[in-house]
Amino acid sequence: MNSIATLRDAVKGAVVLPGDATWEQERLAWHLTNDQHPAAVVHVTGVDDVVAAVNFAKQHGLSVTAQARGHGATAALQGAILLRTLGLTAIEVDEQARIARVEPGVRWGELNEVLAPTGLTGLPGSSGDTSVVGYTLGGGLSWFGRKYGQAANHVHAVELVTADGEPVRVTAESDPELFWAVRGGGGDFGIVTALELRLFAEPQIYGGRMTFAAEHAREVFRSFVAVTKSAPEDLTLWAWLMNMPDAPMIPEPMRGRWLVMIDAVYLGSSSAADALLAPIRAAAPLLSDTVGTVPLNQLDGVANEPVDPVPGLLQGTLLSGFDESAVDALIAAANPGQPSPVAVFEVRHLGGAFARPQPTDGAAGALAEPYLLFFGGFLPSPAFTPILEAAMGEITEAMATWDTQRTHLNMSSNKPVEVLFPTDVLSSLRAIKHRRDPNGVIRSNHPVG
Ligand SMILES: Cc1cc2nc3c(=O)[nH]c(=O)nc-3n(C[C@H](O)[C@H](O)[C@H](O)COP(=O)(O)OP(=O)(O)OC[C@H]3O[C@@H](n4cnc5c(N)ncnc54)[C@H](O)[C@@H]3O)c2cc1C
């Protein structure tokens, strides 16, 4: 029996190894383009399994990594033991203290469902399918982040298994250094078995998607620029240009069309939101408008992100600004209406609390950049990769004036770690990693090195 097979004796959960009948399915991530090859997959059943897997890795000179859904998969886990956490789904909400404790298999859609009747919310992003833990370790860019900042900066406590195989509960008081690193530094500092998150009272969410024909892209994007210039922190707007293939995985009405869309989420009354959105609605004839009251458990309907795994390439770039000339440059490069391998262009408005550093922040810190551009396309076959990469390179070139050469950990695909963190933050993360895990037993999707 080879040594990796003895992992089956060490853990209670199912272990799947290369050569097993289900291996080819089990090793995959949601992000299908990252053709990952771990040493083994373990479906962990609890903290004991995580401790056992970390100790096994230590003894056998291996690394351990964790994935819930694998939306954030990169090439980094090759040869590591992959802990699948989707079985760990407990959610406990203390409404009085406004804290939710979630295990690492919990998805945002599940937490939103539990919180909806309470009038409290965490800081969810656009997809209900991403795990709360994976998203938060990477910073967490929420619909509500302009008001509250990144999700990682609102973690109250972290339960994790360290590289030494110790289960610990870490707070700002118990271990300030580790508590800082894990809140935005990614999954390199321990295998997280639960997060305690601060909750916020938000009685009313108003939002949805306004869709226009792509021939109006310039006017609609310019209205986005105008409204975001003075938007209150309760309002978050994202502008999209979409060129969707005519394929069953694409939901209607996007399938086979170029469209321009503005997604809005407002924390407050419908009348105040409608007044703020008036210039956008007036920019061009609306094809559809879903903006209305949004119960928290339907928040992921706003952006209608794909749930089924997709092969594709996407990359994010933090922008120094997004003005009318940036709109013109982006639209000229995207060339809506014409065939293009690039299918999605999304500009997210940041700013507000995202940009304000707080002394209690984790490694996620503040984001000075006021906008983020996220773009990419689908890969019907690997042979298509150079074509898509070349087209994405042209977009990057067109946006060079506004491109800060920095990106956000959750929006970074396989970008080098140097562009994910400011230099001082990266050196602190590296120093902590080298002190706490000199042999690299824990490995994230973006090892700090
Ligand atoms: C459709 C879509 C929409 C998205 N929208 C947003 C958004 O609005 N805002 C935003 O910020 N991000 C967004 N993301 C990015 C998403 O947050 C990241 O991909 C993130 O990694 C979460 O995905 P996941 O739960 O599948 O994580 P996984 O891919 O399962 O995990 C990501 C990484 O987190 C670490 N990790 C996960 N679990 C653990 C654990 N238990 N212990 C230690 N480390 C762990 C590992 O390093 C792992 O590789 C979106 C992604 C997609 C695909």
Side-chain angles (χ1 to χ4, degrees), residues 131-376:
S131 72
V132 175
V133 167
Y135 162 101
T136 306
L137 296 180
L141 295 176
S142 171
W143 280 119
F144 314 144
R146 284 178 36 75
K147 184 165 179 184
Y148 297 111
Q150 294 189 74
N153 294 330
H154 294 285
V155 170
H156 174 70
V158 185
E159 294 170 33
L160 55 76
V161 175
T162 65
D164 295 330
E166 293 295 325
V168 290
R169 179 174 179 275
V170 180
T171 64
E173 291 73 35
S174 72
D175 189 341
E177 177 183 90
L178 187 54
F179 189 60
W180 174 83
V182 83
R183 291 178 306 136
D188 239 10
F189 301 92
I191 302 298
V192 173
T193 53
L195 282 184
E196 291 174 30
L197 310 171
R198 285 200 198 91
L199 303 176
F200 304 90
E202 280 302 347
Q204 194 173 344
I205 305 167
Y206 191 74
R209 168 166 285 177
M210 292 158 281
T211 304
F212 308 83
E215 71 207 61
H216 301 297
R218 184 165 281 102
E219 302 93 282
V220 175
F221 266 66
R222 283 183 173 215
S223 71
F224 166 81
V225 168
V227 176
T228 55
K229 253 184 210 159
S230 58
E233 293 180 5
D234 290 318
L235 177 66
T236 296
L237 294 177
W238 300 348
W240 300 80
L241 194 52
M242 284 208 197
N243 159 28
M244 291 286 123
D246 189 3
M249 65 189 175
I250 307 301
E252 290 289 5
M254 295 182 275
R255 195 180 295 167
R257 299 186 68 172
W258 273 96
L259 292 169
V260 57
M261 301 156 183
I262 305 288
D263 290 349
V265 167
Y266 183 67
L267 295 168
S269 74
S270 53
S271 54
D274 286 338
L276 289 161
L277 298 179
I280 293 171
R281 287 181 165 135
L286 279 153
L287 294 181
S288 67
D289 185 345
T290 67
V291 177
T293 301
V294 185
L296 184 62
N297 56 0
Q298 286 168 32
L299 186 68
D300 51 352
V302 171
N304 204 12
E305 301 274 26
V307 173
D308 293 334
V310 248
L313 290 180
L314 284 163
Q315 77 182 47
T317 303
L318 289 162
L319 302 179
S320 58
F322 192 67
D323 56 12
E324 296 190 347
S325 27
V327 169
D328 291 348
L330 183 63
I331 289 172
N335 204 5
Q338 299 306 308
S340 166
V342 186
V344 181
F345 303 81
E346 179 190 7
V347 182
R348 291 190 178 200
H349 186 211
L350 304 176
F354 278 127
R356 282 196 295 276
Q358 302 293 337
T360 51
D361 281 352
L367 293 169
E369 299 84 355
Y371 295 90
L372 178 132
L373 170 65
F374 194 57
F375 65 103

Side-chain angles (χ1 to χ4, degrees), residues 177 426-436 448-449:
E177 177 183 90
L426 183 57
S427 14
S428 299
L429 289 172
R430 283 181 169 155
I432 295 167
K433 177 74 177 174
H434 294 160
R435 261 198 308 280
R436 307 260 178 160
V448 295

